[in-house]
Amino acid sequence: MDWVSDPELKAMLDEFVASLPVRREKLSKLRKELMASQGPRQREAADEICRVSHALAGTAETYGFPLLTRISGALDDYLSESDEARSEPCPAARIAEFTGFLVEALGLAERGSDPAGLVKDPRFQALMDAAPGEPTSGA
Amino acid sequence: MTNTIEILLAEDEEHIAKLVAFKLSKEGFAVTIARNGQEAIDRLREKPWKLFILDVMMPYKDGWQVLREIQASPELKAIPILMLTAKTYQKDMANAAELGATQFLKKPFDPTELATTVRRMTGAPQ
């Protein structure tokens, strides 16, 4: 994909990058809600974080942000598939920690490039370790 | 009378929908976008689409509900379905195949791979 010289693709890429602050702010707000609430409201916040992460995971790599897809995809997998994240009471502090990492990654990606340097961050490995195994590839 | 191959895309994530429509229109396909599962079902009944590209996670009716409605509808069940999904766990793929999905493509996807898959599924020249 010629993201630079094709004006239509460049406009779509610019629109995607412009969507990143909106996603970041939404995740930040949900993270605060997660930490401030209890019971069903806390679980609702976690589920909404999962939905935002899922949407980002399915989009970012296609637009040239592979690490953003890995981080958001791992958070989606952790929240939707892991016994730990689905347990009661909701492990809010752990979810907030991972969500905060994604928020930071989005902040870096807003500059227009994949936050590749975060692969060396200890939080990246912690998130990968927490998420269930990679799904099989589609065909 | 036109020979344009008409494709219905059910996708709520606007950045993916735009990119798919852009790529496939460059390849000569005509793409109509439905933003949720219910709109997709309504659009499916409008005309004989050559291919239905279906995202799994959507508002109002998700991809699984849409698949079940298609299976239950004699006039819709023959349409080829390409499912877009961020997760391709074996259990999900087996369920989708049972519900009539013809092919999977894992999100995020390479737009060129998508175009190749669409050409193959529609019988368009490679």
Side-chain angles (χ1 to χ4, degrees), chain A residues 65-75 78 94 97-102 104-105 108 114-132 134:
Chain A
F65 294 77
L67 196 73
L68 203 51
T69 276
R70 284 190 72 187
I71 293 170
S72 51
L75 181 56
Y78 171 69
R94 180 109 150 133
E97 179 191 344
F98 291 147
T99 305
F101 183 51
L102 177 55
E104 189 176 318
L108 293 170
D114 198 35
L118 288 180
V119 75
K120 295 175 186 164
D121 191 302
R123 291 171 295 174
F124 175 78
Q125 195 54 54
L127 178 55
M128 294 299 132
D129 290 344
E134 289 278 309

Side-chain angles (χ1 to χ4, degrees), chain B residues 49-68:
Chain B
W49 304 90
K50 191 78 171 178
L51 178 67
F52 179 37
I53 303 176
L54 173 63
D55 183 33
V56 171
M57 217 174 195
M58 285 187 300
Y60 303 117
K61 279 182 184 167
D62 65 21
W64 301 114
Q65 291 171 292
V66 172
L67 272 185
R68 278 190 283 273

Side-chain angles (χ1 to χ4, degrees), chain A residues 1 6 8-9 12 15-16 19 23 54-55 57-59 61-63 69 76-77 80-81 136 138-139, chain B residues 13-16 18-19 22-23 26 57 86-91 93 103-109 111:
Chain A
M1 300 292 280
D6 186 311
E8 284 184 84
L9 280 175
M12 281 190 275
E15 278 183 29
F16 174 71
S19 79
R23 298 175 201 253
H54 180 90
T59 309
E61 186 170 346
T62 301
Y63 277 88
T69 276
D76 172 22
D77 286 345
S80 61
E81 306 289 342
T136 56
Chain B
E13 171 64 39
E14 67 164 313
H15 299 98
I16 288 294
K18 277 186 183 177
L19 190 58
F22 171 81
K23 179 66 179 175
K26 289 277 185 190
M57 217 174 195
K87 294 178 182 178
T88 48
Y89 291 110
Q90 289 293 356
K91 61 179 168 42
M93 293 170 73
Q103 183 96 26
F104 278 95
L105 197 61
K106 188 178 186 306
K107 292 167 75 177
F109 53 81

Side-chain angles (χ1 to χ4, degrees), chain B residues 6-10 31-49 52 76 79:
Chain B
E6 296 210 62
I7 295 170
L8 179 63
L9 166 66
V31 181
T32 298
I33 299 169
R35 298 291 185 184
N36 60 63
Q38 184 56 57
E39 185 185 348
I41 290 289
D42 295 341
R43 292 273 189 175
L44 276 172
R45 297 186 191 284
E46 288 177 358
K47 60 171 92 170
W49 304 90
F52 179 37
L76 296 181
I79 188 171

